[in-house]
Amino acid sequence: MLDKKEEKKHWEHIYQTKSPLEVNWYQTNPSMSLELIEKTKFNKEQRIIDVGGGASILVDCLFKEGFKQLAVLDISAQSLQYAKTRLGETANQIEWYETDVTAFQPVHPYELWHDRTVFHFLTHAEDRKRYVRALKNTLVPNGHLIIATFAIDGPSKCSGLDIVQYDAPLLCAEIGEEFELLEVRNETHITPAKVAQKLTYFRFKRRFVSLFRV
Ligand SMILES: C[S@@+](CC[C@H](N)C(=O)[O-])C[C@H]1O[C@@H](n2cnc3c(N)ncnc32)[C@H](O)[C@@H]1O
């Protein structure tokens, strides 16, 4: 089990020793994420944050589609550097946060939180609580939440680390009643080494909770 310092070291080491094109989670087309974002009927002026986005090309795709308020958060500086270098000048129009998501303090709210295979690394209940706290501090009421994890019949490790596999009841129990589950989709991801990995994507909407009761 890694402590917080070791966790960051682990991820920096991965990105310093491997090309982002050869890591297991690399995708040439983040089609499921794009499809689910499209389903939210998201206004292109609203803010999207890709949590644990690392060197993923999701941000490039969203930028090309005309989304204007994009942010990428990752614990690894090296992963963000890959993305910035790839994007060139465009990187200046994107917000970058090098931080552990469980300690994230947003400078402004976001309307969509996307996380592909980050939450599943949180094997301690306390870290999951901190993640949900950061999520609630970041996402507006009626905001959209997309989380992908390894499926119940998927791998039990990712990047050499233990993970927690989720189905809808397990994830809903962690995320809480404030989030309404709208859609669940399965994906078989083929890694660059041609290994099949089963993922599940969950799309939620944050309920609007009124402070005034009649
Ligand atoms: C399996 S990769 C997925 C990357 C990206 N979401 C994708 O789909 O290509 C997990 C990513 O989460 C980042 N990460 C791991 N733990 C994190 C944490 N506690 N806070 C923020 N990022 C984290 C890693 O550096 C890595 O980039």
Side-chain angles (χ1 to χ4, degrees):
M1 201 85 69
L2 303 181
D3 66 26
K4 287 288 164 197
K5 243 187 180 166
E6 291 167 333
E7 219 173 281
K8 179 167 172 63
K9 249 174 103 181
H10 169 86
W11 289 107
E12 293 296 12
H13 179 73
I14 294 278
Y15 284 108
Q16 279 160 6
T17 53
K18 283 188 174 185
S19 148
L21 309 186
E22 62 181 2
V23 290
N24 275 342
W25 51 92
Y26 174 69
Q27 297 179 289
T28 47
N29 178 12
S31 52
M32 183 70 83
S33 297
L34 290 169
E35 211 181 293
L36 291 174
I37 291 170
E38 166 122 34
K39 285 270 193 77
T40 66
K41 309 229 182 310
F42 204 70
N43 172 339
K44 292 194 169 155
E45 307 293 331
Q46 292 178 313
R47 293 180 196 275
I48 299 183
I49 184 161
D50 189 15
V51 171
S56 162
I57 62 157
L58 179 64
V59 67
D60 311 42
C61 298
L62 292 171
F63 189 84
K64 277 195 201 121
E65 286 191 12
F67 291 92
K68 297 194 174 66
Q69 310 250 36
L70 299 169
V72 183
L73 177 157
D74 205 280
I75 200 168
S76 155
Q78 180 63 53
S79 71
L80 298 178
Q81 193 50 53
Y82 274 128
K84 288 182 198 172
T85 305
R86 187 182 65 227
L87 283 157
E89 290 279 293
T90 302
N92 300 329
Q93 297 179 52
I94 290 160
E95 294 175 304
W96 304 95
Y97 298 105
E98 179 200 333
T99 181
D100 181 331
V101 59
T102 62
F104 181 50
Q105 297 190 333
V107 289
H108 46 232
Y110 289 82
E111 280 86 14
L112 194 151
W113 173 291
H114 174 271
D115 161 351
R116 177 172 178 265
T117 59
V118 184
F119 182 73
H120 75 185
F121 286 108
L122 305 178
T123 52
H124 292 286
E126 266 315 306
D127 280 338
R128 293 195 289 273
K129 279 191 192 138
R130 284 193 202 102
Y131 178 105
V132 173
R133 199 178 309 142
L135 166 66
K136 287 181 177 171
N137 285 340
T138 305
L139 197 68
V140 296
N142 287 328
H144 304 278
L145 167 64
I146 296 167
I147 297 189
T149 69
F150 279 173
I152 288 292
D153 55 350
S156 59
K157 280 185 182 263
C158 183
S159 179
L161 302 177
D162 288 334
I163 60 96
V164 184
Q165 301 161 327
Y166 288 96
D167 58 13
L170 286 172
L171 189 61
C172 289
E174 293 292 342
I175 300 295
E177 287 182 358
E178 224 172 295
F179 295 87
E180 182 189 0
L181 182 62
L182 300 181
E183 189 173 359
V184 179
R185 299 281 296 274
N186 295 316
E187 178 187 62
T188 301
H189 168 66
I190 307 296
T191 71
K194 307 277 180 259
V195 176
Q197 295 182 327
K198 289 187 182 174
L199 272 76
T200 307
Y201 287 69
F202 305 88
R203 181 165 71 88
F204 296 86
K205 188 158 188 184
R206 187 175 190 179
R207 296 180 208 272
F208 181 81
V209 183
S210 172
L211 296 175
F212 304 103
R213 288 169 201 269
V214 277

